[in-house]
Amino acid sequence: DQQVKQNSPSLSVQEGRISILNCDYTNSMFDYFLWYKKYPAEGPTFLISISSIKDKNEDGRFTVFLNKSAKHLSLHIVPSQPGDSAVYFCAARGRGGSQGNLIFGKGTKLSVKP
Amino acid sequence: GAVVSQHPSRVICKSGTSVKIECRSLDFQATTMFWYRQFPKQSLMLMATSNEGSKATYEQGVEKDKFLINHASLTLSTLTVTSAHPEDSSFYICSVPEGGTEAFFGQGTRLTVV
């Protein structure tokens, strides 16, 4: 059973608009959430993270929102750029879990059209 | 963050042969490294935790005799896929945890067994 779910396999957005990628999780013991960006044939690149004690973290064009009661987090990219086109993975770490031992969603492929 | 180099990026081998994949932490001494596998349209799945100077810890369902892991130094972990079969064809990625939360990934290795 998947503990981290990304229910949208793909998302298409126009350049300059907002991209919203969603992620749901089932385990309330997760204490840290991360978003990774992955280009084809490359390893994932860390993008942004959020601790379970926060509900928002912002870094430039990227903002992650966490709704613990709904066990839901989202990544907002604004404005979206063609270079943002990639697969985005949501990942979670269990409380007290081994460093870097992350549980990943299946990913959402974002396409930003010029 | 840590710079992680993985080699080779792509390998094609014949069924029954063995393939070695290297993961190097270039600027960070890693007592622990993680090996993941990603099948098409699936999430990254943790295979094993590589521990410097001791035996690796394998996730449930991963055959330790088939996927040999050696972590002989603080900067190098190797994954050897022994007696490879077509079903072992996948994208293998290593990661190095740093800072207690983030994990930095290698470029990945696309293994194709023919």
Side-chain angles (χ1 to χ4, degrees), chain A residues 32 36 38 41-44 46 49 89 93 98-102 104-105, chain B residues 34 36 38 41-44 46 91 93 97 100-103 105-107:
Chain A
Y32 205 78
Y36 283 84
K38 183 181 180 299
E42 293 184 10
F46 171 74
S49 62
F89 287 95
R93 188 191 71 171
S98 177
Q99 294 179 10
N101 182 354
L102 302 171
F104 286 85
Chain B
F34 297 96
Y36 290 84
Q38 183 189 21
K41 298 185 179 181
Q42 298 296 314
S43 60
L44 287 83
L46 180 68
F91 192 60
I93 312 175
T101 50
E102 283 86 33
F105 288 81
Q107 304 93 319

Side-chain angles (χ1 to χ4, degrees), chain B residues 4-33:
Chain B
V4 183
S5 176
Q6 190 172 335
H7 178 81
S9 58
R10 185 181 297 268
V11 59
I12 300 173
C13 72
K14 291 185 177 181
S15 185
T17 62
S18 295
V19 174
K20 180 185 284 188
I21 303 170
E22 293 186 348
C23 179
R24 293 184 184 272
S25 176
L26 299 182
D27 61 351
F28 184 77
Q29 292 187 324
T31 56
T32 301
M33 294 186 185

Side-chain angles (χ1 to χ4, degrees), chain A residues 26-65:
Chain A
T26 59
N27 190 339
S28 58
M29 296 301 288
F30 289 145
D31 67 346
Y32 205 78
F33 302 91
L34 306 90
W35 284 94
Y36 283 84
K37 176 180 179 180
K38 183 181 180 299
Y39 293 113
E42 293 184 10
T45 302
F46 171 74
L47 198 57
I48 192 170
S49 62
I50 188 167
S51 166
S52 61
I53 63 174
K54 296 186 176 182
D55 55 18
K56 177 183 176 181
N57 187 25
E58 188 173 356
D59 183 3
R61 295 187 297 115
F62 304 92
T63 303
V64 56
F65 295 93

